[in-house]
Amino acid sequence: MPNLLFFAIFFIFGLSFLGLFEIVLPNSLINQADARSEKGGVLGIFFMAFTLVVVSFSCTGNFVALILGTSGGKAGNFGPVIGMFSFGFGLAFPFIICAFFPKLLTVLTKSGGWQNALKVTLGFVELAFALKFLSNVDVAKNLRILDGEVFIVLWVVIFSLLGFYLLGKLTFKHDSELPKNDWGLQYVPIPRLLLAIASLAFSMYLIPGLWGAPLTAVSAFVPAAGTQAFIL
C-alpha cells in the first residue's frame, strides 16, 4: 500500500511538472497563514514558516515522500534522518550564504526559461521513480505487468525523451526559446548539453538490460532478471 501511494504521488507530481496541470492550494488558506505571519513573535514566525511550506509544498513534497519512503528499508532508521537533514540543509544553505554575503544577490541568475526547464527535467525523473514504486507493487503481488524488460523500456523512453528535451528537440507549452548567438541562431547552453549527454548515455546503458545484461549501477531500482521473459 505505501508503494502504491508513493507511485500515485510521484506520478501526479511528475505530470504536473511536465505542465499537464497545476497543483495549488486554495488562496484563502495561503492568505490566512500569510496574514497571521505578520503578527510577530513566536506565533508569527511559525505561520511565516507555515506559509512557506504551503506555497512550496508542490515542489518539495515529492522529495520528502521519497526520503520518508526509505524508512524501514536497507537504509535503516538513520536513512530518513540523514536524508531530511541533507534536504533541510540544502534548502537553508543558499539563504545562509546570501545572509553572510549580501552582494551575491546582485549576481544571481535571473529567473526565466531555465526554471521551467528544471521543472520539466524533474518531472521526467519523477515519472521514472514512480515506476520504481509501481514495480515494487507488481513484484509483491506477482502481477507480472511491469516485468523487467517492460520497466527498462519505459526508463529508456523516459530518459531518451529527457535528452531530446534538453537538446531542444522536444518542447512543452510553458517552454521558452533557447538563447541565440550573435547570428540569431539558437544554441544549447553547455550545462544543458552535458545533462542531455548524461540522459541519453544512461538510456544507452539500459538497453543491454533488455536481454539480461546485469545493470549493476541501477540494480537497486530495476526489477530482477528473473522477471524477464527472455534472457540472452
Side-chain angles (χ1 to χ4, degrees):
M1 187 63 183
N3 283 304
L4 194 59
L5 176 62
F6 286 127
F7 161 74
I9 292 174
F10 273 77
F11 186 73
I12 292 173
F13 277 110
L15 294 180
S16 176
F17 278 18
L18 292 179
L20 182 62
F21 51 84
E22 294 290 335
I23 301 177
V24 294
L25 289 178
N27 289 330
S28 58
L29 178 61
I30 299 176
N31 293 335
Q32 289 179 9
D34 186 48
R36 294 187 179 183
S37 67
E38 298 177 357
K39 292 183 178 181
V42 177
L43 189 62
I45 296 174
F46 170 79
F47 278 102
M48 185 182 299
F50 180 72
T51 303
L52 177 63
V53 172
V54 169
V55 172
S56 62
F57 90 102
S58 61
C59 299
T60 60
N62 45 356
F63 296 105
V64 174
L66 176 63
I67 294 172
L68 296 180
T70 62
S71 60
K74 295 181 179 180
N77 296 329
F78 289 101
V81 175
I82 297 173
M84 292 300 293
F85 173 79
S86 303
F87 179 77
F89 181 78
L91 287 178
F93 185 73
F95 296 98
I96 296 173
I97 295 298
C98 290
F100 281 103
F101 307 99
K103 290 185 178 180
L104 290 178
L105 294 172
T106 60
V107 297
L108 290 177
T109 304
K110 295 183 179 180
S111 61
W114 68 271
Q115 292 180 324
N116 187 72
L118 176 61
K119 184 175 73 170
V120 172
T121 300
L122 292 176
F124 279 112
V125 174
E126 289 190 9
L127 290 179
F129 275 113
L131 290 176
K132 166 57 181 172
F133 290 109
L134 184 61
S135 173
N136 292 340
V137 177
D138 183 76
V139 172
K141 300 296 183 180
N142 197 26
L143 300 176
R144 301 302 302 271
I145 298 175
L146 200 61
D147 282 346
E149 60 265 54
V150 178
F151 183 94
I152 294 173
V153 164
L154 291 175
W155 265 32
V156 169
V157 172
I158 289 174
F159 286 101
S160 296
L161 290 176
L162 174 57
F164 291 131
Y165 169 78
L166 293 171
L167 291 175
K169 304 301 182 182
L170 178 67
T171 57
F172 292 89
K173 180 173 62 175
H174 300 294
D175 285 329
S176 302
E177 292 185 355
L178 293 174
K180 297 182 179 180
N181 57 21
D182 296 336
W183 294 274
L185 301 176
Q186 293 183 353
Y187 68 92
V188 179
I190 297 300
R192 188 162 176 161
L193 176 62
L194 293 177
L195 289 175
I197 293 174
S199 182
L200 293 174
F202 182 65
S203 298
M204 297 295 293
Y205 169 78
L206 293 173
I207 291 177
L210 294 172
W211 292 275
L215 303 176
T216 309
V218 290
S219 59
F221 297 94
V222 178
T227 64
Q228 295 186 213
F230 174 73
I231 297 179
L232 185 63

